[in-house]
């Protein structure tokens, strides 16, 4: 109690000194006494051989990775980490699903899971940064464990990060498998699945050299594409699909919708300047979960535009993950001065 009072007082004094100082330079950082940090202590195992055994679920533990060795690392998607790690193990007596939650931890965590043995470069599951209340914490949701297998949960850190962690492993209802079906009217994207070393010579847009596109034919009807996207090269790359439209009307109200077996990034790219450096989205929408259809509407001026579809994340999305994209409002406009009755009638045949 005494110490806590002292720490609070020290911060107050430091803040006052900083605010009121007539100096034109800020005071040195070392003068600020940091608040006391708890030390959650050493409780996890050092490595797979000495893993701390999780006997039953739900399981909750707090500990610190400080002072442990860096035995393991996985890329998901950041490489080059040398952070210390601790290991827990759990034997699944039956098929089940679990959430592995490090969200309340106090440092930039990373977590990965091995099945039965160390499989470097090929973890059973892996996450660095999840959608936690605090940024950069880790979470693996709805992970399917199979009866008769032992799972090693490695609590690790991004880069050199280490510190106090809070680990919760909870059995949850297994998620309904997300399956996106191609409707009968769907046009096959035609690209095929990505793979390690893939360079996307098909429709990678400005991510490919040379740039390549799927050219969309205008239609008064809804245009539907069935495509694939996913992650490859150790989840450092993703297949991006660029659908090219030449908008010819004075204003073009375009609605794009997509449903995917992966978290989705869907948007418009203004291609009027081509693949210039720093090319960004005109606008976009995202969904952090799979099988969550999203739509986006813009009123666009005439010119070349792309619809962009890809996985939002670099996180073990298989290369054959399906999506369905629809485009509404991409119609042809014939310039009035060039229009003949014949050409106008041809449009509506
Ligand atoms: Ca490590
Ligand atoms: Ca992290
Ligand atoms: Ca694709
Ligand atoms: Ca592609």
């Amino acid at each position: 109690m005494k110490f806590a009072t002292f720490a609070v007082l020290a911060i107050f004094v430091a803040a006052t000194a900083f605010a009121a100082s007539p100096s034109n330079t800020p005071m040195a950082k070392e003068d600020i006494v940091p608040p006391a940090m708890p030390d959650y202590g050493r409780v996890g195992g050092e490595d797979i051989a000495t893993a701390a055994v999780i006997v039953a679920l739900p399981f909750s533990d707090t500990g610190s990775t400080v002072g442990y060795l860096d035995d393991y690392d996985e890329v998901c998607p950041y490489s080059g980490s040398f952070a210390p790690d601790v290991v827990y193990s759990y034997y699944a007596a039956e098929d089940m699903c679990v959430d592995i939650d490090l969200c309340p931890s106090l440092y930039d965590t990373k977590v990965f899971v091995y099945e039965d043995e160390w499989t470097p470069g090929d973890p059973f599951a892996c996450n660095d940064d999840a959608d936690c209340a605090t940024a950069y914490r880790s979470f693996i949701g709805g992970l399917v464990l199979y009866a008769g297998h032992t799972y090693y949960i490695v609590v690790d850190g991004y880069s050199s990060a280490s510190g106090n962690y809070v680990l919760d492993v909870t059995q949850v209802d297994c998620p309904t498998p997300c399956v996106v079906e191609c409707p009968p009217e769907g046009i096959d994207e035609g690209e095929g699945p990505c793979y390690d070393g893939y360079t996307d010579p098909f429709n990678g847009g400005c991510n490919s050299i040379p740039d390549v596109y799927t050219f969309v034919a205008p239609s008064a009807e809804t245009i539907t594409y069935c495509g694939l996207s996913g992650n490859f090269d150790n989840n450092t790359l993703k297949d991006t699909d660029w659908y090219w439209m030449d908008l010819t009307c004075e204003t073009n109200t375009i609605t794009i919708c997509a449903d995917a077996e992966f978290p989705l990034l869907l948007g418009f790219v203004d291609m009027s300047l081509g693949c210039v450096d720093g090319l960004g989205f005109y606008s976009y929408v995202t969904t952090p979960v799979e099988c969550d259809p999203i739509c986006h509407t813009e009123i666009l001026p005439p010119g070349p535009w792309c619809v962009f579809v890809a996985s939002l994340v670099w996180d073990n999305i298989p290369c054959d993950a399906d999506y369905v994209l629809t485009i509404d409002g991409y119609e042809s406009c014939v310039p009035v001065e060039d229009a003949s009755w014949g050409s106008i009638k041809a449009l509506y045949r």
Side-chain angles (χ1 to χ4, degrees):
M1 194 61 197
K2 252 184 180 171
F3 183 73
T5 308
F6 170 75
V8 169
L9 186 67
I11 289 169
F12 176 74
V13 169
T16 304
F18 181 74
S21 167
S23 163
N24 64 351
T25 54
M27 59 191 287
K29 238 181 173 179
E30 302 85 74
D31 295 345
I32 301 173
V33 179
M37 288 287 284
D39 179 2
Y40 289 177
R42 293 174 60 111
V43 288
E46 175 66 85
D47 54 22
I48 283 175
T50 59
V53 177
I54 297 174
V55 177
L57 301 183
F59 173 81
S60 188
D61 202 5
T62 57
S64 172
T65 61
V66 173
Y68 282 82
L69 299 174
D70 170 30
D71 294 283
Y72 309 107
D73 188 34
E74 293 297 340
V75 176
C76 55
Y78 306 108
S79 61
S81 165
F82 48 94
D85 39 67
V86 304
V87 185
Y88 290 80
S89 73
Y90 179 68
Y91 173 79
E94 54 179 348
D95 290 351
M96 63 168 68
C97 292
V98 295
D99 283 353
I100 299 171
D101 185 357
L102 284 161
C103 284
S105 300
L106 304 183
Y107 73 102
D108 186 345
T109 56
K110 165 152 72 172
V111 66
F112 40 91
V113 179
Y114 295 117
E115 187 179 50
D116 295 320
E117 60 183 352
W118 183 31
T119 52
D122 186 25
F124 184 72
C126 185
N127 176 259
D128 195 327
D129 302 333
D131 196 17
C132 297
T134 309
Y136 308 131
R137 307 303 189 260
S138 314
F139 180 90
I140 297 173
L143 182 67
V144 184
L145 306 184
Y146 298 97
H149 294 274
T150 299
Y151 295 88
Y152 296 99
I153 299 168
V154 182
V155 177
D156 205 336
Y158 166 76
S159 186
S160 62
S162 64
N164 292 312
Y165 61 86
V166 179
L167 170 67
D168 283 295
V169 184
T170 315
Q171 186 170 357
V172 294
D173 291 336
C174 288
T176 320
C178 161
V179 177
V180 170
E181 302 272 9
C182 184
E185 70 276 18
I187 304 164
D188 185 0
E189 177 202 7
E191 179 180 24
C194 53
Y195 46 81
D196 285 346
Y198 188 60
T199 57
D200 199 344
F202 189 79
N203 62 359
C206 296
N207 297 320
S208 294
I209 302 171
D211 51 325
V212 279
Y213 307 89
T214 294
F215 291 96
V216 182
S219 171
E221 309 286 317
T222 298
I223 301 162
T224 304
Y225 278 97
C226 298
L228 306 174
S229 183
N231 300 146
F232 56 99
D233 283 4
N234 272 330
N235 298 329
T236 58
L237 291 174
K238 57 187 176 185
D239 172 39
T240 63
D241 297 341
W242 299 55
Y243 292 86
W244 184 284
M245 303 182 297
D246 282 303
L247 301 185
T248 51
C249 302
E250 199 160 314
T251 60
N252 304 268
T253 304
I254 308 289
T255 296
I256 51 178
C257 296
D259 188 12
E261 294 172 352
F262 45 83
L264 190 59
L265 173 56
L266 174 69
F268 291 109
V269 184
D270 180 351
M271 301 305 296
S272 54
L273 297 177
C275 291
V276 289
D277 277 354
L279 180 68
F281 279 107
Y282 179 78
S283 63
Y284 65 90
V285 288
T286 67
T287 174
V289 292
E290 57 192 31
C291 275
D292 179 26
I294 49 174
C295 289
H296 184 49
T297 300
E298 286 284 3
I299 300 171
L300 301 175
W305 290 84
C306 272
V307 176
F308 174 100
V309 185
S311 156
L312 175 65
V313 296
W314 293 263
D315 191 14
N316 285 324
I317 308 300
C319 271
D320 61 351
D322 290 289
Y323 70 84
V324 173
L325 165 72
T326 61
I327 302 170
D328 276 288
Y330 176 26
E331 297 185 35
S332 255
C333 285
V334 176
V336 174
E337 57 268 34
D338 295 346
S340 67
W341 273 114
S343 64
I344 290 170
K345 266 156 62 183
L347 280 176
Y348 294 97
R349 256 177 212 154

